Amino acid sequence: MEDPYSSFKELAKKYGPVYSLKMGVQKMVVLCGYETMKEALVNHAEEFADRPALPVFLDIARGYGLIFSNGHNWRTLKRFTISTLRDFGMGKRTLEDKINEESNRLVETFKSYKGEPFDNKMIMNAAVSNIIVSIILGHRFDYDDPKLQRLLTIITDSARIAGSPMAQLYNAFPSLMRWIPGSHQTIRPSVDEIHSFIRKIFTKQKEQLDVNDRRSLIDCFLVRQKEEKPNPELYFHDENLTSLVADLFAAGMESTSTSLRWGLLLMMKYPDIQEKVQKEIEKVIGSAEPQLVHRQHMPYTDAVTHEILRFSLVTPFSTRQTTQDVTLKGFFIPKGTPIIVSLTSVLRDPKYFKKPYEFYPEHFLDSDGNFVKSEAFIPFSLGRRSCAGENLAKMELFFFFTKLLQNFTFKAPPGAKLDLNPIVGITLSPQNHEICAIPHN
């Protein structure tokens, strides 16, 4: 499975693991290969800790929130987010129960199709989004709730558009492209619609706020807002809350849901692998509810979920910006230089993965069938800007994937061809397709 971001890796063969290129008027530096990435993002973590102020990112977040902000604002919100996610169960049994409850609802929805073909995109998006939504808002949505459906549509469309050629032209020539019609012009109004929805929610929660009964991440933020002493650098303000909730909602849904959809597509493509996973589920879990402790006794399933994340390349690159002058691999990189981190170059590296372009769970198994880690497995990136929700995403993937294969065998509709070429955006998602979920009882 090739993707357009592989060109960064190909250029590295000619120019080395650190090289610069010009996108319009903007000069950028590209980092390729695990050793280079580790040296930059881990050994020089502070120097590579910012995000570039690209026009598309500014339209999405205006410099607020978690994903696209910098400096003290980003550090403050990251500390708050990680501690609040832990408070609401990340890595704990309470969150396991929540994910299991949601996966049971997903199973019932899949069963309602009685083995007939259906498109699982919006259903999967809704199920996965309900986990982060329950943490952020304190409640879940029904899958067919029109508000949820609208938000999910905006997020998936925006993720595709933000990685499109028009958006890249916009980033390269912002002053010109602001006046030219195209899909890049739809991002700002779409984000405004999401932000309006979020503001209505937290305005209502402000009125009902009980500082002694914090039911959600929004409640925790509003309490901090009350506690924050007036000073020139306020961080717990409404603009940050709006962007933070939008960031978590989008990041908490898009990548995990897309990974799960790749997972089911790959199980249809490789029924022998699907059967091996199901045999291990039957042996270790049987008909019981999956628990996180089961994973350590399920090396093959663990290897398959890792290989889904590696092979699907949902996030093919990440971005950084240098916070100060830095020398890397003998090259001087000035402060404020935008950096493209090619995750593709690591996750497709034959030095670490024997069959980089094939779906091969044995990448994560030794000769005795035991699970083995790979240092080059970095789908969530490295360093200060690595995904704050990595542990939550891995939990969700294990629980949803295991529960679905515990209850169904997935097959392609009669006559359908399974296309593994991705739809390109900020994330790489599967082509539109239908699945048949054949119930086990």
Side-chain angles (χ1 to χ4, degrees), residues 10 17 62 85 89 96 173 236-237 316 335 355 359 377 381 397 416 426 433:
E10 294 307 309
R62 285 77 152 171
L85 286 175
E96 287 186 40
F173 306 101
F236 290 89
H237 51 70
K335 176 183 177 180
K355 301 180 179 181
F359 184 70
F377 178 72
S381 194
L397 184 58
I426 285 183
H433 65 278

Side-chain angles (χ1 to χ4, degrees), residues 18 29 31 48 322 324-328 331-339:
V18 181
V29 169
L31 306 182
F48 288 88
T322 48
Q324 58 195 65
D325 294 350
V326 62
T327 299
L328 182 71
F331 293 97
F332 173 75
I333 305 173
K335 176 183 177 180
T337 302
I339 307 291

Side-chain angles (χ1 to χ4, degrees), residues 174-208:
S175 55
L176 172 66
M177 293 300 292
R178 283 189 202 284
W179 304 101
I180 294 177
S183 59
H184 63 294
Q185 300 283 11
T186 66
I187 292 175
R188 188 73 180 252
S190 294
V191 171
D192 285 343
E193 188 176 339
I194 292 175
H195 284 187
S196 175
F197 173 78
I198 292 167
R199 278 192 293 271
K200 284 176 187 172
I201 288 173
F202 74 67
T203 301
K204 186 177 178 182
Q205 289 192 214
K206 250 182 199 177
E207 295 165 0
Q208 303 168 347

